[in-house]
Amino acid sequence: SRRCGLAAGRSYSGGGAYPSVSLTCPLPGVPKAVFAAAESRERFETRVSVLENGLRVASQNKFGQFCTVGILVNSGSRHEAKYLSGISHFLEKLAFSSTAQFGSKDEILLTLEKHGGICDCQASRDTIMYAVSADARGLDTVVNLLADVTLQPRLSDEEIEMTRMAIRFELEDLNMRPDPEPLLTEMIHAAAFRDNTVGLNRFCPVENTDKIDRAVLHSYLSSYYTPDRMVLAGVGIEHEHLVECARKYLLGVEPVWGSGQSRAVDRSVAQYTGGIVKVEKDMSDVSLGPTPIPELTHIMIGLESCSFLEDDFIPFAVLNMMMGGGGSFSAGGPGKGMFTRLYLNVLNRHHWMYNATSYHHSYEDTGLLCIHASADPKQVREMVEIITREFILMAGAVGEVELERAKTQLKSMLMMNLESRPVIFEDVGRQVLATNARKLPHELCALISQVKPTDIKRVVTKMLHKKPAVAALGDLTDLPSYEHIQAALSSKDGRLPRLYRLFR
């Protein structure tokens, strides 16, 4: 037709004589475009293989030139009951130091630089994760390096001494920070799971820095760095290629600490105890300068939730999103939690509250839902009353609008986080380490959509039957006793006059 034909005598700024062709018609003389098509669902599933030595290899396809590959080990501070506390913290700092193949950390970084790579190690309560992001064409080099870093570290005296210094500095820095959230997280875990599993300190105590040496580290590594407790995970690479590299560098390799008889692995199940951990501290000078942060007292109150392997994990995640909260200076709109309960019921009504935030920590055998609040030391008693009231009101009516908003926000946050390749890598590794499989995002979204108000009420009712865990930091002169906090949380009606009498 005339419409799709050539428009004679018309020139274009691009230098050619292409006609004025409708967008619905193909350009003449141009090869037919081939577009990427949605392939079968299997293409997007996480593939898992198990090698002869028990090592699991997991991969997730993702378009792009770069990949993220790493080794996750089922090892962390929760496994240190039979050892000196702080070994995982040491291993995190010692990661990517000299190995059997690489003479120094600089040599490792130069090797990664050839493939545009960066590396990192993170130790948590239940997992140690060694990860590298690099050009996918350097996969062979990356897996070789990861195997060497994990199984063949030199742990020289000089490196261990440098690690001692780094840990001492980090501990000093933690105690001087204006934001006490990392310290409060340690304290609430210690109160909730006293002297067991996830209640053990994630940071190395100062008194243990000189006691941890190569022999102690090798003893720990021989027990926990075994193939059956490891996952090699990769995002952005072909599964067959990753399995081939795993066989080449991680199968039949004898670790530097030998393959002798290891000590018994700690398989203790977390025992929730409840309780209180208090640290009296002068917080008047934590932030100096022209606009210093005022002196605050920080309280965190928590109750046992559930494991991430249980069905109730999803309702608890929705509940945590529904509570939301943040700092009194947080900006944003509905997408940033301004319609959550801790904003509407706490921060908007009590101008003297500097912070009210909900957190949910979940592990393979337990979990902890807690609220962190900050205020002037003179307002501590009233602040604790307000936070305990919010816990009790969780068991009340749940509005359809607020529930739908929380579910939508949770799904949005899940999908946005999983846009990042390193986040996908960690999600793949952690799920496969715990369950030998991975729930895909659309499956999790479907489970979130199914949460009903009755589910929220059911999990809250179960949670409120437990003793509370309390962490308090700062000037604690006006802090109510633990017995008063426990009595307030056991109030099933949630009526304010009763709470008022308890705290006054």
Side-chain angles (χ1 to χ4, degrees):
S1 69
R2 172 73 180 167
R3 191 177 176 191
C4 293
L6 295 174
R10 188 169 179 182
S11 62
Y12 293 87
S13 58
Y18 273 119
S20 175
V21 179
S22 167
L23 292 177
T24 59
C25 301
L27 288 173
V30 176
K32 187 178 179 181
V34 179
F35 297 100
E39 301 181 47
S40 62
R41 184 169 295 280
E42 289 75 24
R43 181 76 176 166
F44 300 98
E45 288 182 354
T46 301
R47 296 182 61 186
V48 181
S49 299
V50 183
L51 302 190
E52 290 83 345
N53 60 358
L55 176 80
R56 285 157 287 179
V57 182
S59 72
Q60 179 75 43
N61 263 306
K62 183 174 174 63
F63 175 78
Q65 183 181 348
F66 279 74
C67 65
T68 299
V69 183
I71 292 176
L72 292 91
V73 188
N74 185 9
S75 156
S77 58
R78 70 169 294 163
H79 300 106
E80 293 174 2
K82 298 177 183 178
Y83 296 86
L84 285 168
S85 175
I87 291 176
S88 300
H89 195 186
F90 257 78
L91 291 173
E92 178 187 52
K93 299 295 179 192
L94 283 164
F96 295 98
S97 297
S98 63
T99 68
Q101 288 185 48
F102 301 93
S104 66
K105 189 164 194 165
D106 288 342
E107 201 174 317
I108 288 175
L109 296 177
L110 283 170
T111 302
L112 287 174
E113 197 176 288
K114 294 173 185 174
H115 300 283
I118 55 172
C119 60
D120 187 29
C121 177
Q122 292 180 8
S124 62
R125 288 188 150 74
D126 53 1
T127 311
I128 294 181
M129 180 173 63
Y130 301 82
V132 170
S133 286
D135 192 304
R137 290 171 293 185
L139 181 63
D140 197 273
T141 303
V142 167
V143 176
N144 179 26
L145 189 151
L146 283 166
D148 215 42
V149 163
T150 311
L151 301 175
Q152 305 284 335
R154 286 186 184 172
L155 305 179
S156 68
D157 293 339
E158 183 183 356
E159 288 168 346
I160 291 174
E161 188 54 42
M162 288 292 288
T163 299
R164 290 189 181 117
M165 292 170 61
I167 287 174
R168 289 190 195 110
F169 176 81
E170 185 177 351
L171 294 175
E172 284 181 25
D173 180 59
L174 274 172
N175 286 304
M176 292 167 62
R177 281 186 194 173
D179 175 24
E181 200 269 327
L183 282 178
L184 282 166
T185 301
E186 292 305 306
M187 291 165 64
I188 196 75
H189 278 82
F193 305 93
R194 190 171 292 277
D195 298 327
N196 76 91
T197 57
V198 293
L200 301 176
N201 201 329
R202 192 168 63 85
F203 299 109
C204 179
V206 178
E207 62 272 16
N208 284 358
T209 52
D210 289 325
K211 298 175 185 175
I212 295 176
D213 54 20
R214 190 190 296 109
V216 172
L217 294 170
H218 277 184
S219 173
Y220 180 87
L221 290 166
S222 66
S223 290
Y224 291 97
Y225 277 47
T226 55
D228 59 303
R229 298 179 66 86
M230 292 182 180
V231 168
L232 173 66
V235 176
I237 35 83
E238 291 296 330
H239 185 72
E240 289 75 14
H241 192 185
L242 187 62
V243 171
E244 181 187 332
C245 291
R247 288 186 178 281
K248 187 174 178 181
Y249 298 111
L250 287 161
L251 195 60
V253 177
E254 183 169 339
V256 70
W257 49 84
S259 54
Q261 186 65 33
S262 65
R263 295 171 63 177
V265 171
D266 183 8
R267 302 190 187 277
S268 304
V269 176
Q271 302 295 317
Y272 181 83
T273 61
I276 185 167
V277 173
K278 299 189 288 186
V279 176
E280 290 268 2
K281 186 179 178 183
D282 180 9
M283 306 284 282
S284 59
D285 59 351
V286 294
S287 174
L288 304 176
T291 54
I293 296 174
E295 180 182 2
L296 300 172
T297 294
H298 302 272
I299 305 294
M300 196 176 271
I301 299 175
L303 291 164
E304 187 181 22
S305 58
C306 73
S307 154
F308 58 70
L309 299 176
E310 296 178 44
D311 293 338
D312 284 344
F313 172 69
I314 299 294
F316 268 116
V318 174
L319 172 65
N320 179 57
M321 193 60 67
M322 195 169 73
M323 297 307 295
S328 58
F329 300 109
S330 295
K336 292 191 177 178
M338 297 295 276
F339 282 94
T340 59
R341 285 193 180 186
L342 291 179
Y343 266 113
L344 294 174
N345 302 343
V346 178
L347 292 167
N348 288 354
R349 295 183 182 181
H350 307 283
H351 65 89
W352 44 268
M353 291 275 282
Y354 277 79
N355 178 49
T357 311
S358 176
Y359 296 95
H360 186 218
H361 307 277
S362 196
Y363 305 97
E364 200 170 334
D365 51 359
T366 188
L368 190 65
L369 183 80
C370 43
I371 296 177
H372 169 207
S374 309
D376 185 276
K378 297 184 181 64
Q379 306 278 6
V380 169
R381 189 170 290 270
E382 193 175 353
M383 174 172 67
V384 172
E385 175 187 325
I386 290 165
I387 297 305
T388 52
R389 179 186 65 193
E390 286 306 312
F391 270 108
I392 293 167
L393 292 176
M394 287 181 194
V398 178
E400 284 291 342
V401 173
E402 71 169 341
L403 181 61
E404 286 305 315
R405 181 182 282 122
K407 285 155 63 173
T408 302
Q409 191 173 345
L410 180 58
K411 287 187 278 189
S412 171
M413 185 176 292
L414 172 70
M415 299 308 290
M416 283 193 293
N417 286 341
L418 289 173
E419 287 290 313
S420 166
R421 191 180 60 252
V423 174
I424 299 174
F425 156 76
E426 186 172 348
D427 183 48
V428 169
R430 285 184 179 277
Q431 287 202 50
V432 172
L433 195 63
T435 66
N436 296 321
R438 180 188 178 223
K439 276 193 173 74
L440 292 174
H442 70 272
E443 296 176 83
L444 293 171
C445 287
L447 291 172
I448 293 168
S449 297
Q450 292 168 15
V451 175
K452 298 179 177 61
T454 51
D455 297 321
I456 301 294
K457 189 163 185 175
R458 173 173 49 78
V459 297
V460 171
T461 303
K462 185 171 69 172
M463 181 175 69
L464 286 173
H465 281 94
K466 304 289 178 71
K467 288 172 61 179
V470 182
L473 177 68
D475 180 352
L476 308 179
T477 307
D478 293 332
L479 179 71
S481 70
Y482 178 75
E483 289 72 22
H484 282 170
I485 297 172
Q486 185 176 0
L489 281 170
S490 66
S491 171
K492 296 297 182 292
D493 53 13
R495 289 181 295 179
L496 284 181
R498 180 176 177 182
L499 289 177
Y500 187 86
R501 288 196 299 273
L502 283 169
F503 287 106
R504 297 300 187 275

